[in-house]
Structure formats: structure tokens, C-alpha cells
Amino acid sequence: MYYAADDTPPPPPSSATEPRTSYLEEKAFKARTLLIFGTVTDVTAADVTRRLIALDAEGPEPIDIIVSSPGGHLESGDAIHDVVRFIAAPVNMIGTGWVGSAATHLYLAAPRERRFCLPNTRFLIHQPSGGAGGPASDIAIQAEEIVKARQRIARTIARETGKPLEVVLADIERDRWLSAQEAVDYGLVSRVIERKTELPGR
């Protein structure tokens, strides 16, 4: 903790930004728009799934999710992926910045015709990784789980892009980067858009 030169504690942080944050949150909710930015964690998953369920309860209109994330915790991405497919309201996925790893997995929860990206988006697909440690038996279990996760991710990509599973398995053996147009060609994305008015029903 740092103090001023006269050793008196500094004033508490200003809460001036709090009303602004609440205002923006309310506007985003009314616009039926969610943001997934940064690393995907269990906190991210809890927040996004809670909002998805609330928006689904509000009505059947489409929900827009804007994604810019390097990925993160696979199972947290799984939770978002499954809830997107679980709710009744349709979801438009809009990629921007970069969409990688576990973020690509949750992005693929939307049907292909509802997957979009902005022009400068980059996508990354690859196999899961892990830092196995501990007794040899535990390392063997973790290695087996990574292999299972790799197969599951590959099956999801194959299902959502129409690519043969063998092709996907080969493609994710190492990092595979795709530009916006390359992602369209691969089947990850339906089309590249520049404006919100290009989304379905707008």
C-alpha cells in the first residue's frame, strides 16, 4: 500500500465510473448483446451463461455475442458452448480481434449461418495443451484426458465446418492461423461483415 508524502492514507478510489458501468451494462442487455473479451475462465463462463439464460427468458429475439479472446480454460468454454445450444433464443456469434483455442470452441456453438466476423479477425485452431505434473500415474491420466479432449475438439470442428475428421485432426496438430476470409473458406465463419445491419433480421 502506498501513502502520500505526509503519511496520510490516500482517499478511496472514486466510484464515479460505477454509474457509467451500470449504464453500459443496462444498454448492452437491452440490446441483447454480450461481450466475451480476454481469457475464458470459470468466472467468464458463469457471467456469460447467467446473462444468456436471463436474455432467453426475456424473449425469443436473437442474442449477439461479440468474441475477442485468445482462449483459456477448455471446460469453461464448454459451458458457454453448451448453454448457447441449450437456450431457445438464436445466437449470432461475431468474431473480432482474434478468436483462438477455447474461444473458437465456444464460437462454434452457433450454427454456421449465424457465425460472422469483422474484417480484421484472426482465428486459431489447435489441440489442447496441459502442464502435467505429479506422480507418473497422474501424468498418464492427464495425458489420456488431453487425447480425449483433442478428439472432442476435432469432432466439433469437423461437425461445424463440414471438414473430414482426419483433415481436422491433421490441421490442429500444430497452431493453425486463419484470416477472416480463410476462416470463411474453412467453414468456421459464414461470412465477413462490416456493419450490424448485415446481421440477420436487422
Side-chain angles (χ1 to χ4, degrees):
M1 180 179 291
Y2 293 94
Y3 290 90
D6 60 359
D7 290 331
T8 58
S14 171
S15 61
T17 59
E18 291 179 9
R20 180 65 175 169
T21 300
S22 298
Y23 170 78
L24 292 174
E25 291 283 340
E26 181 183 354
K27 295 295 285 185
F29 190 86
K30 287 183 177 179
R32 299 180 68 80
T33 301
L34 301 180
L35 306 180
I36 301 177
F37 275 57
T39 304
V40 177
T41 66
D42 57 344
V43 175
T44 308
D47 182 59
V48 171
T49 55
R50 181 174 63 248
R51 291 167 189 262
L52 281 169
I53 291 168
L55 286 169
D56 186 48
E58 283 284 305
E61 296 81 12
I63 300 167
D64 296 335
I65 299 182
I66 301 175
V67 184
S68 179
S69 167
H73 188 238
L74 176 60
E75 284 74 14
S76 298
D78 283 338
I80 298 171
H81 178 105
D82 288 347
V83 172
V84 167
R85 296 170 67 88
F86 172 77
I87 61 174
V91 173
N92 296 319
M93 286 286 184
I94 303 117
T96 186
W98 67 317
V99 180
S101 194
T104 304
H105 182 62
L106 69 86
Y107 176 89
L108 289 173
R112 188 188 302 189
E113 66 271 15
R114 289 190 175 274
R115 297 196 302 259
F116 309 93
C117 73
L118 302 183
N120 292 311
T121 313
R122 291 201 305 159
F123 289 82
L124 170 64
I125 56 175
H126 62 187
Q127 63 180 311
S129 60
S137 56
D138 287 347
I139 293 173
I141 291 170
Q142 292 178 51
E144 183 179 347
E145 289 304 308
I146 289 174
V147 170
K148 290 179 181 177
R150 178 175 180 267
Q151 288 287 332
R152 181 163 57 82
I153 289 167
R155 284 196 299 269
T156 299
I157 295 172
R159 181 190 72 218
E160 296 301 329
T161 62
K163 294 280 187 186
L165 180 60
E166 297 75 16
V167 170
V168 174
L169 284 168
D171 287 343
I172 67 172
E173 189 66 30
R174 304 296 295 268
D175 287 356
R176 174 73 182 269
W177 288 94
L178 302 101
S179 67
Q181 186 55 54
E182 287 169 340
V184 172
D185 296 339
Y186 198 88
L188 292 174
V189 178
S190 171
R191 58 191 172 95
V192 180
I193 63 172
E194 295 189 22
R195 295 173 180 81
K196 186 174 182 177
T197 52
E198 298 177 62
L199 292 171
R202 297 301 196 275

